[in-house]
Amino acid sequence: MDDFRALKDIRLTVIGIGLMGGSVLKALKSAENRPAMVTAVDTDPDVLAKIEAKGLADIATEDTASAIKDADMVVIALYPKQAIKLVTEHSGDFKPGCVVTDICGVKREVMDEIPKLLPEGVDFVGGHPMAGREHMGFDYSVPDLFLGCKYILMNGPKKAVKLVRDFADALGAGKIVKADPEYHDEMIAYTSQLPHALAVTYMLSSDARGVEDFSAGSFRDFTRISMINEEMWSELFLENRDKLGDEIDHLMDILNALKVFTKSGDRESLKKMMKMAAMMREGIKG
Amino acid sequence: MDDFRALKDIRLTVIGIGLMGGSVLKALKSAENRPAMVTAVDTDPDVLAKIEAKGLADIATEDTASAIKDADMVVIALYPKQAIKLVTEHSGDFKPGCVVTDICGVKREVMDEIPKLLPEGVDFVGGHPMAGREHMGFDYSVPDLFLGCKYILMNGPKKAVKLVRDFADALGAGKIVKADPEYHDEMIAYTSQLPHALAVTYMLSSDARGVEDFSAGSFRDFTRISMINEEMWSELFLENRDKLGDEIDHLMDILNALKVFTKSGDRESLKKMMKMAAMMREGIKG
């Protein structure tokens, strides 16, 4: 008997229909490998009405317990603390053999908490699709949000990982990246949280001066990610406070060196820094 | 008698045919308001041959003195130190009534030096078209480099400013911004040099870790400007070292606050910073 289930044969429940959950529904709607049944769970009746009007799910409901009880796979599309709270409250509702995944941008906390809250026979595979937009909420969700994105997966039982991988493929993910929570959070502190922290800091540093007349494309690209959702990002920063703090410390040492070279007129050292940075950036594809 | 000369009636000389000078030639080639004669000066015979082959100038020459002697307007498209050196060496070659402009990204030094080097009757109007690309040199020049850009102009005699303004319009500039050198350099330290300094610092902070698997669009946008031409940018940084140094100091204070809030788990303060940054960014058009 084949222990591996195909995505198209399962009943999938998506919990939390914001930017990410909504984009999951929209991507799956036209996916070749669409699950046999898709249930959407949200607490906002307006969002549920929109899902029904657009035919984005077979069932759109506020009843989390029933939606979990029926599911072969559950995608928790909530912020980390809410995700843990949901599993705590509904741990008895997951049926044996169910595969659970999440989309949280920091992984140590959810990976520490969620597996031990789930009953035996229910597998958790942490996930982090590296996709997003400046604006949050269902109304900004789009079918191609995940198209070509890196989809990071934590370890888990083979058949559970296979199912989540098929789910990521169905969304249009470009590359599946395997990582453990520690390494993930360290890398994300650098590749995602630090740029957002710097863009926020940079904008606050403007002192509300009239910068508009002196800004070009480089300013716009550099500051786009300062338009940040403070609810989500403050939670992500704090869950990863040790790693992000280390990254900021490290960056400040280098920024201080650049400042000293600038103030002291050490052109050769400045040129070395610039040349090295350009080389490193050019070495990163995509 | 009308003291104002029209761009289309004058003989224009462009000195230094790199990314910027080349883009000037290419933009003027199809401009409605093309000068009566365009002369291109460069020290590289290969570049001169390409200009001739493409018909980008009426004359392409290495002979700076003759090209200046014949010109009603001279555009110096060189780095700041080279621009000052050129005017020093050729101050006797400019004819009375000639209007001189430059494209340097830092303005105090050129504005301090160049006017006093020029003979009486020759007017200097400092300029800074806020346009560029990651790669330098004639081969990367494009006709639409200046399309819609902000073109910053220093003060000068009315008729001279009018001519440089017409020149900027002919290139396709989107907005002429008037500024004095002090204010220009202060604003540019923040809107242009600081983002480049931060992008360079951020890339160097990667420690050559394998970031490729953990990078999304935000990483790419944020780091694009780390691909910097170290010859030009080290000179710009050093000419503006006081202002850029102040900007880095100011930013580090704010970054330190963000780090302290993150490490200590002060979520409300973090959220305030993020909300304020997003508001400030959203208030900047374009």
Side-chain angles (χ1 to χ4, degrees):
Chain A
M1 188 184 135
D2 188 3
D3 202 27
F4 288 89
R5 277 171 304 175
L7 189 68
K8 69 178 175 47
D9 296 330
I10 67 158
R11 287 179 293 181
L12 177 83
T13 289
V14 184
I15 301 175
I17 312 299
L19 171 69
M20 302 296 274
S23 296
V24 166
L25 297 182
K26 289 175 182 177
L28 289 180
K29 188 174 159 66
S30 58
E32 207 175 314
N33 204 8
R34 182 181 165 84
M37 189 161 105
V38 174
T39 300
V41 180
D42 202 87
T43 54
D44 183 343
D46 289 345
V47 168
L48 295 175
K50 286 176 190 170
I51 293 166
E52 281 186 351
K54 290 173 201 270
L56 294 175
D58 301 292
I59 299 171
T61 179
E62 291 186 64
D63 183 353
T64 310
S66 305
I68 292 175
K69 279 176 186 153
D70 284 341
D72 301 307
M73 178 175 174
V74 173
V75 177
I76 307 174
L78 301 170
Y79 296 174
K81 296 259 185 265
Q82 285 178 293
I84 292 165
K85 186 162 172 273
L86 178 118
V87 177
T88 306
E89 289 171 2
H90 290 279
S91 65
D93 294 328
F94 294 89
K95 72 176 181 187
C98 182
V99 172
V100 182
T101 189
D102 75 323
I103 58 149
C104 295
V106 177
K107 297 260 66 102
R108 279 175 298 167
E109 190 172 8
V110 287
M111 293 302 293
D112 280 349
E113 297 298 326
I114 290 180
K116 70 187 182 202
L117 293 166
L118 288 169
E120 187 149 337
V122 176
D123 294 322
F124 182 66
V125 180
H128 176 199
M130 291 200 68
R133 296 184 70 185
E134 284 88 61
H135 299 286
M136 311 304 275
F138 173 77
D139 289 340
Y140 292 97
S141 63
V142 286
D144 61 355
L145 187 69
F146 307 104
L147 207 64
C149 81
K150 280 141 196 164
Y151 204 115
I152 306 167
L153 288 184
M154 305 293 112
N155 285 321
K158 215 169 190 177
K159 68 179 174 116
V161 172
K162 168 79 167 63
L163 192 62
V164 180
R165 181 188 279 268
D166 289 347
F167 168 73
D169 286 342
L171 297 183
K175 185 176 181 182
I176 307 288
V177 175
K178 296 293 288 290
D180 65 42
E182 185 81 23
Y183 181 62
H184 171 275
D185 288 1
E186 186 184 313
M187 293 305 289
I188 286 300
Y190 175 69
T191 61
S192 173
Q193 297 186 325
L194 186 57
H196 283 83
L198 287 173
V200 164
T201 301
Y202 174 78
M203 278 315 302
L204 294 177
S205 184
S206 78
D207 296 331
R209 291 174 288 190
V211 301
E212 204 162 299
D213 280 345
F214 296 86
S215 59
S218 57
F219 176 88
R220 286 193 294 276
D221 283 356
F222 190 80
T223 58
R224 184 179 61 81
I225 56 171
S226 68
M227 290 181 285
I228 206 171
N229 174 297
E230 76 271 14
E231 288 296 333
M232 185 177 84
W233 283 92
S234 61
E235 187 171 331
L236 294 176
F237 275 27
L238 292 187
E239 288 207 357
N240 212 21
R241 66 180 77 176
D242 54 343
K243 307 262 188 221
L244 178 56
D246 288 349
E247 291 296 337
I248 295 175
D249 280 333
H250 183 48
L251 180 125
M252 283 177 94
D253 287 343
I254 300 171
L255 184 56
N256 196 57
L258 184 142
K259 186 187 77 175
V260 169
F261 295 149
T262 299
K263 284 193 168 175
S264 68
D266 183 348
R267 187 165 182 192
E268 286 314 307
S269 297
L270 266 188
K271 278 166 68 175
K272 263 184 212 157
M273 289 184 88
M274 290 173 176
K275 198 165 186 167
M276 176 78 78
M279 272 176 54
M280 291 175 88
R281 179 60 181 85
E282 277 159 16
I284 295 171
K285 282 163 209 78
Chain B
M1 187 183 137
D2 187 5
D3 201 28
F4 289 89
R5 279 171 303 177
L7 189 68
K8 67 179 178 44
D9 297 330
I10 68 158
R11 288 180 293 180
L12 177 83
T13 290
V14 184
I15 301 176
I17 312 299
L19 172 69
M20 301 296 274
S23 296
V24 166
L25 297 182
K26 289 176 182 176
L28 289 180
K29 188 174 159 66
S30 58
E32 207 174 314
N33 204 8
R34 182 183 165 83
M37 189 161 106
V38 174
T39 300
V41 180
D42 202 87
T43 55
D44 183 343
D46 289 345
V47 168
L48 295 175
K50 286 176 190 169
I51 293 166
E52 282 185 350
K54 290 173 201 270
L56 293 175
D58 301 293
I59 299 171
T61 178
E62 291 185 65
D63 183 352
T64 310
S66 305
I68 292 175
K69 279 175 187 153
D70 285 342
D72 302 307
M73 179 174 174
V74 173
V75 177
I76 307 174
L78 300 171
Y79 296 172
K81 297 258 185 266
Q82 285 178 293
I84 293 166
K85 186 163 172 275
L86 178 118
V87 177
T88 307
E89 289 170 3
H90 290 278
S91 64
D93 295 329
F94 294 89
K95 72 175 182 189
C98 181
V99 172
V100 182
T101 189
D102 74 321
I103 58 151
C104 295
V106 176
K107 296 261 66 98
R108 280 175 296 167
E109 189 172 9
V110 287
M111 294 302 294
D112 281 349
E113 299 297 327
I114 290 180
K116 70 187 182 201
L117 293 167
L118 289 169
E120 188 148 335
V122 176
D123 294 322
F124 182 65
V125 180
H128 176 198
M130 293 200 66
R133 296 183 70 185
E134 283 88 60
H135 300 285
M136 310 304 275
F138 173 76
D139 290 339
Y140 291 97
S141 63
V142 286
D144 61 354
L145 187 70
F146 307 104
L147 207 65
C149 82
K150 280 142 196 164
Y151 204 115
I152 307 167
L153 289 184
M154 305 293 113
N155 285 321
K158 216 169 189 176
K159 69 180 173 114
V161 172
K162 168 77 168 62
L163 192 62
V164 180
R165 181 189 277 269
D166 288 346
F167 168 73
D169 286 341
L171 297 183
K175 185 176 182 182
I176 307 287
V177 175
K178 296 292 288 292
D180 66 41
E182 186 80 23
Y183 182 60
H184 171 277
D185 288 1
E186 187 185 311
M187 293 305 289
I188 286 299
Y190 175 69
T191 61
S192 172
Q193 297 187 324
L194 186 56
H196 284 83
L198 286 173
V200 163
T201 301
Y202 174 77
M203 278 316 302
L204 294 177
S205 183
S206 78
D207 296 329
R209 290 174 289 190
V211 302
E212 206 161 298
D213 280 344
F214 296 85
S215 59
S218 57
F219 176 89
R220 286 192 296 276
D221 282 357
F222 189 79
T223 57
R224 185 178 61 82
I225 56 171
S226 67
M227 290 182 285
I228 207 171
N229 174 297
E230 77 270 12
E231 287 296 334
M232 183 177 86
W233 282 92
S234 61
E235 187 171 329
L236 295 176
F237 275 26
L238 293 187
E239 288 206 358
N240 212 22
R241 67 179 77 175
D242 54 343
K243 307 256 187 227
L244 178 56
D246 288 349
E247 291 297 337
I248 294 175
D249 280 333
H250 183 47
L251 179 125
M252 282 176 96
D253 287 343
I254 300 171
L255 185 57
N256 195 58
L258 184 143
K259 185 187 80 177
V260 169
F261 295 150
T262 299
K263 284 193 169 176
S264 67
D266 183 347
R267 188 166 180 190
E268 286 314 307
S269 297
L270 265 188
K271 278 166 66 175
K272 264 185 211 155
M273 290 184 88
M274 290 172 175
K275 198 165 186 167
M276 176 77 79
M279 272 176 54
M280 292 175 86
R281 178 60 181 83
E282 277 159 17
I284 295 170
K285 282 163 206 77

